[in-house]
Each structure stands twice: as structure tokens, then as C-alpha cells.
Amino acid sequence: MSPGPSKDEGGGVSPQNKGSWSSFLKSIASFNGDLSSMTAPPFILGTLSLTEFSAYWTQHPSVFVAPAAEKDPAKRALLVLKWFLSTLKPSYSTRNDKYGSEKKPLNPFLGELFLGKWEDEAGSTELVSEQVSHHPPVTAYCIQNAKHGVKLEGYNGQKASFSRTIHIKQIGHAVLTLTPPNSSTRDTQPLDPTPSAEKETYLITLPNIHIEGLIYGKPFVELNNCTYISSSSGYVAKIDYSGKGWVSGKKNSFTATLYPTGKEKDILYTVEGQWPEAFTIRQGSGKHGTVVDQYNARTQPITPLTVPALDQQDPWEANKAWDKVITAITKGDMDTTNAEKSKIENAQRELRKKEQAENREWERKFFVRRDKAEEWWDKLAQACPGERIESEKTGGVWRFDPEKASEARRPFHEGLNPC
């Protein structure tokens, strides 16, 4: 087994690529449509595929499972909020903790998989990530800890545009399900997919993004507007994001509040800080409430994700499929990067042509498509202004299928290779 993902992507745009970077900026400024359909120059490519980004939800498994041990529902909702905030640094900040070194992830191909698990004092936490759609591009994921009865699943598509800078709208949502400690089903069926009144469900909306520092060749991420966590237990968390302005403010700042559903002014807890750095949790509203907890994103221990060694991986698993591309990027060999990347892209086009000729659809191994969301989703979304299902932009509503997952085995697509 080997750890992943943790690949060094270097610094900002190198001096020899400054001219190419300027040309790239001019091309995106004049481009009409979704920027994700553009081919990025090899020198700005990162060494991670977007399917690997699902792992950033759970770099701290003990924080992920902590809500399941809390008996008080309001405090449980607070622990869910704390966990969500702890995911922002790995999910949206730079991979090597240097502003200006963000790279464009590799675009996953249809059927790409990323599988791994975390092993620590929280037990075994397992990850499945699958590229369920390519046009439009959508990644679905499921993270489960059977010992504590906690499951996260979701799907994510992106639409990118340019207006003075790059703006990325995230389409989709995440759903956290847990079994409270006083539930009668806690020990007998902690991850049973059947809906239960004893389980709690948290709908998590996704932040929109814009990229700062483009003109200087040192891009970094800022989060926009606000997101929500709406719970079936009757609590809502609202997270407002802000960045550094011309006169005041700090990069990557946020303020979050937790309140009973429908009572936004009755604030139970307030959380403030910078999501790549640290934050403080206080009781009540404002900055003068009693400090309940503090979290430092830079000092919190990270549990490494383990993935199978390359020689044990299936050709459809991300690290195996992109190995030659990743090696070339790491060496700074842009010609080989482009050539190996083109091999995968061309092979995928041929597979799509064959499917179309045979009038069949690609087989997903872990997830299923639904035409619309469930009734519980509609109910929880009422507390999240502006949240709606946009299935036309994600190829449907994607849900983890335990039955399909139980039957999935290597080789996942026998006789087929992604390139």
C-alpha cells in the first residue's frame, strides 16, 4: 500500500513560461462558453486528477466521525460544521501551502476511479470516487466509516467562466448521514441505506470559487458568497466567505453561524477565522461570546490516505491511468506530458464513438443516476436559499449504490483500457 494523494506541484509560473502564461490569459479572456472545455497548456497542469480531490473531505477522520458520539443534537450539528470547515483548507487551498502554486487538476475520464482508505484511531474510513459523467464532467464520491456509522456521499460538477478573473460555479451537493449514539440501530445497522427516523441527514451545499493572482502568474483560490448545512435534526449552519479587499480584510476569511431551522436570528454558535489557517468557535452571536473550541488547520495532524501500489491498481484507477502524465509533469517534460495526455483523451473519444454505434451507455461501477432528488432533499433544501437540483448540468442526480459496490471487483472493466 502507498500513501496518496501528496504530490509536489512546485511554485507559480516559471520565468520561461511567463510568455505562454500571458498568451493563455488572453485566450481565456476572449473565450465564450465554459472554460472547462478549453485545453490547458501543459505547464499549468497539476499532478492530481479531480477524482482524487474527494479525499480532501476526510484528511482528519477523527473530526469526521466526532459528531456521531455527541448526544446533544445542537452540539452534533456544531461538530458537523467544525468538520466541514476543517475540509476547506485541503479542498481549496494550495497543495503545498504556498500561495501562488495552485495548478489546474487533470480532467478525469469517464469511468476513472480513485479508491483508498484511512486507518487510525477512528477505525477504517473508506473512499470511493468515480467519474460518472464526462460531458458534463461530474465526479461522484462516497466516504464511509462503519465503526461510527458515518457516511458522506455527493457529486460535483463545475462550470467555469471569465470576467476579470476565473469564476467557477460548483454544481451538486454533499450529504452526510450519521447514526446518533442513542439510536437503537447504531450497533446493528450503522450504514444501512434504508431511510430511518433515527438517523440524521445533513445537506451540504458547495461554495463557488474565483481565482486571484492570475495577472501575476501566482494563482490562488478564494471562496464566494455563502453555503449552508441543513440538518434533519432541526439546525442550519450558514457560512459566509470573504477575501482581502483593496483596503481591508484578510485572505480566505469566513464567518459561520449555527441556528435552529427557520430562526436565523437565534444564533447558538458563531465561528470566525481564515479557513487555511485557524478559526474560533464561540457561543452565541458576535465576537464576545464564550470560546467553546478552537481549530488550527496548520497544526491539525493529517491521517494519510492509503491507496494500492501501482502494480496492484486497475488500469481505470487514477494513479495507474495517469502515471506517465504525472511522471512527465514532475520532470518538467511538457512534450511528453502533452503526448501522454493526448493518448488518454483520444482513446476515450474512440470508446464514446463505439458506445454510440452500439447504442449503449457506459456502465458505472459504484453509483447510479436518478432523475430527481428525494423528498428529504427537497425539505432540507428549503433552508438553503438558492439551492436547487440542476440535473441538466450534471447528467442527473448521482447516488452511491451499495449493491453495485458490493459486486465491484478488479478488473473493473475487463478487456477495456482507458488508453
Side-chain angles (χ1 to χ4, degrees):
M1 304 290 283
S2 60
S6 60
K7 308 183 185 88
D8 185 9
E9 295 180 353
V13 177
S14 60
Q16 62 266 34
N17 287 319
K18 290 291 187 182
S20 299
W21 176 254
S22 297
S23 298
F24 175 62
L25 290 183
K26 291 177 182 178
S27 67
I28 62 176
S30 59
F31 184 81
N32 291 321
D34 187 354
L35 292 179
S36 62
S37 64
M38 288 186 69
T39 299
F43 70 87
I44 69 168
L45 290 176
T47 54
L48 293 175
S49 168
L50 274 174
T51 57
E52 299 178 69
F53 277 46
S54 304
Y56 293 126
W57 283 106
T58 324
Q59 284 198 340
H60 313 295
S62 60
V63 183
F64 175 63
V65 302
E70 174 56 58
K71 294 182 179 181
D72 181 83
K75 292 179 180 178
R76 261 198 314 275
L78 178 64
L79 288 172
V80 170
L81 172 60
K82 177 184 176 181
W83 157 74
F84 172 76
L85 294 172
S86 77
T87 71
L88 296 179
K89 179 183 183 294
S91 295
Y92 301 109
S93 189
T94 131
R95 305 290 90 79
N96 62 2
D97 290 337
K98 295 179 182 177
Y99 277 119
S101 59
E102 288 292 348
K103 300 289 186 178
K104 182 185 182 299
L106 297 168
N107 287 331
F109 51 83
L110 181 60
E112 180 177 316
L113 298 167
F114 185 65
L115 313 174
K117 63 180 178 179
W118 298 266
E119 299 277 3
D120 61 6
E121 65 275 7
S124 181
T125 307
E126 299 184 353
L127 163 70
V128 172
S129 182
E130 181 175 13
Q131 191 71 6
V132 293
S133 176
H134 187 65
H135 292 297
V138 179
T139 304
Y141 50 86
C142 181
I143 301 170
Q144 303 183 75
N145 184 297
K147 177 182 177 181
H148 295 275
V150 181
K151 181 176 76 171
L152 175 78
E153 66 172 295
Y155 63 96
N156 186 15
Q158 296 182 335
K159 184 176 178 61
S161 60
F162 187 88
S163 176
R164 292 189 293 181
T165 188
I166 295 175
H167 298 268
I168 302 170
K169 179 183 179 182
Q170 298 203 90
I171 306 169
H173 57 266
V175 179
L176 181 75
T177 305
L178 61 84
T179 310
N182 51 348
S183 169
S184 61
T185 62
R186 173 65 180 268
D187 297 324
T188 59
Q189 44 185 325
L191 291 176
D192 183 353
T194 306
S196 168
E198 293 184 311
K199 293 182 181 180
E200 286 184 356
T201 303
Y202 295 78
L203 172 62
I204 302 166
T205 68
L206 306 177
N208 292 326
I209 300 166
H210 71 271
I211 310 299
E212 295 282 4
L214 286 177
I215 195 171
Y216 303 108
K218 295 182 178 181
F220 66 90
V221 167
E222 277 285 10
L223 304 182
N224 296 342
N225 304 324
C226 65
T227 59
Y228 295 87
I229 304 174
S230 176
S231 170
S232 61
S233 61
Y235 298 93
V236 175
K238 179 183 179 182
I239 306 101
D240 286 291
Y241 306 98
S242 61
K244 183 175 176 62
W246 288 103
V247 179
S248 62
K250 296 180 179 180
K251 290 178 179 177
N252 307 138
S253 297
F254 75 90
T255 299
T257 54
L258 180 72
Y259 50 87
T261 303
K263 299 179 180 179
E264 189 170 348
K265 294 183 179 180
D266 297 343
I267 296 173
L268 303 176
Y269 298 98
T270 301
V271 191
E272 291 184 309
Q274 292 173 274
W275 46 265
E277 304 288 341
F279 56 80
T280 300
I281 303 173
R282 290 184 170 86
Q283 199 162 23
S285 61
K287 298 183 178 181
H288 304 293
T290 302
V291 174
V292 174
D293 196 4
Q294 292 180 311
Y295 182 89
N296 191 318
R298 294 197 174 277
T299 60
Q300 180 74 17
I302 293 174
T303 299
L305 175 73
T306 57
V307 299
L310 280 182
D311 60 1
Q312 297 175 8
Q313 288 188 25
D314 187 85
W316 292 88
E317 292 182 67
N319 292 168
K320 181 89 167 183
W322 292 104
D323 181 46
K324 292 181 180 179
V325 175
I326 293 168
T327 300
I329 292 173
T330 303
K331 291 180 178 179
D333 184 348
M334 296 301 103
D335 290 337
T336 302
T337 297
N338 192 52
E340 294 297 334
K341 183 169 171 284
S342 295
K343 286 181 183 178
I344 295 176
E345 293 168 345
N346 291 333
Q348 289 296 305
R349 292 188 187 100
E350 291 304 313
L351 283 174
R352 302 293 83 77
K353 288 179 182 178
K354 185 177 180 181
E355 289 164 7
Q356 188 173 16
E358 297 175 356
N359 194 29
R360 60 182 175 85
E361 186 177 4
W362 177 256
E363 180 188 3
R364 284 80 178 177
K365 287 298 178 178
F366 294 89
F367 297 86
V368 294
R369 186 207 323 262
R370 295 180 179 171
D371 295 330
K372 60 181 182 180
E374 303 84 348
E375 288 185 9
W376 59 258
W377 191 96
D378 293 331
K379 183 177 180 180
L380 293 180
Q382 291 177 9
C384 309
E387 184 65 13
R388 61 189 180 91
I389 293 291
E390 298 180 88
S391 56
E392 73 282 359
K393 297 179 181 178
T394 57
V397 177
W398 298 95
R399 294 289 185 251
F400 181 71
D401 188 327
E403 185 175 345
K404 291 181 71 171
S406 67
E407 298 173 354
R409 299 284 189 278
R410 296 181 178 89
F412 293 108
H413 299 282
E414 193 166 5
L416 284 180
N417 283 310
C419 61

